[in-house]
């Protein structure tokens, strides 16, 4: 299910105008079980993440801890260069060629399977969904951008061959096959 919206303003930074925040659902389509205080209360927690398309990993950060409380974003766990928020936590950027770069963020601590310089294939496992950085619940932040630096690149609209929904907006449920 999408938390962020591609057509309702997206994220506030330059590269995030079309960004998507995807949460995992359980078999009953629930985003969370329990009171949401533990990361394990979220069905998406620890789910395998895969490369969205072929490319070369040009940036990878894997040294950040997960937020310890499932439904909080505590600044104590932000990277030092992002004391006021906006921290993508453990994240990577993949260069797909043609001026298109995917950024995937909030990987689970210790789960990233690739590093800068690695070539990845679409569908290849690259890590696990986590709760690192400035995030209020375990989810995957995904954006397509026009350069490797998420703080300075322009955002690009994206589409997925394995998602039947053509408009991905806040609250959209979809199944990726």
């Amino acid at each position: 299910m999408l938390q962020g919206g591609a057509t309702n303003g997206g994220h506030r930074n330059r590269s995030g105008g079309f960004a998507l925040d995807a949460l995992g659902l359980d078999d009953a389509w629930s985003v969370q079980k329990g009171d949401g205080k533990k990361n394990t209360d979220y069905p998406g927690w620890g789910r395998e993440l895969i490369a969205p398309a072929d490319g070369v990993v040009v940036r990878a950060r894997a040294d950040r801890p997960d937020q310890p409380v499932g439904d909080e974003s505590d600044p104590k766990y932000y990277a030092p260069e992002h004391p006021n928020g906006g921290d993508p936590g453990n994240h990577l950027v993949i260069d797909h060629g043609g001026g298109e770069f995917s950024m995937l963020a909030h990987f689970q601590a210790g789960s990233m399977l690739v590093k800068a310089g690695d070539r990845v294939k679409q569908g290849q496992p690259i890590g696990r969904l986590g709760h690192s950085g400035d995030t209020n619940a375990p989810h995957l932040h995904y954006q397509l951008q026009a350069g490797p630096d998420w703080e300075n690149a322009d955002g690009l609209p994206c589409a997925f061959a394995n998602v039947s929904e053509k408009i991905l907006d806040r609250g959209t449920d979809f199944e990726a096959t």
Side-chain angles (χ1 to χ4, degrees), residues 13-15 59 81-82 86 143 145 148-153:
N13 60 320
R14 178 176 163 186
S15 63
R59 295 192 178 194
E81 64 270 25
H82 300 288
Q143 64 187 44
Q145 57 194 38
D149 180 5
W150 67 270
E151 292 183 280
N152 295 301

Side-chain angles (χ1 to χ4, degrees), residues 46-61:
R47 281 199 185 164
E48 182 176 79
L49 300 176
I50 59 173
D54 294 355
V56 175
V57 177
V58 293
R59 295 192 178 194
R61 181 165 194 172

Side-chain angles (χ1 to χ4, degrees), residues 1-5 11-12 20-24 31-33 35-43 45 65-75 77-78 85-89 105-107 129-141 170:
M1 182 171 88
L2 292 182
Q3 177 178 315
H11 288 67
R12 291 182 179 89
L20 306 170
D21 286 336
L23 293 92
V31 174
Q32 125 190 6
K33 55 190 178 207
D35 63 7
K37 296 297 181 191
K38 297 184 301 262
N39 286 323
T40 55
D41 286 347
Y42 296 84
W45 171 256
D66 285 297
Q67 292 281 343
V69 179
D71 63 355
E72 290 182 12
S73 184
D74 186 338
Y77 297 92
Y78 297 171
D87 179 8
H106 308 306
F107 282 75
L129 187 144
H131 189 30
S132 62
D134 182 5
T135 166
N136 60 1
H139 73 279
L140 171 68
H141 173 97
R170 185 177 305 275

Side-chain angles (χ1 to χ4, degrees), residues 54-57 95 114-121 124:
D54 294 355
V56 175
V57 177
D95 180 352
V114 296
K115 62 187 180 314
D118 287 352
R119 180 165 294 282
V120 295
K121 291 295 211 179
Q124 174 184 334

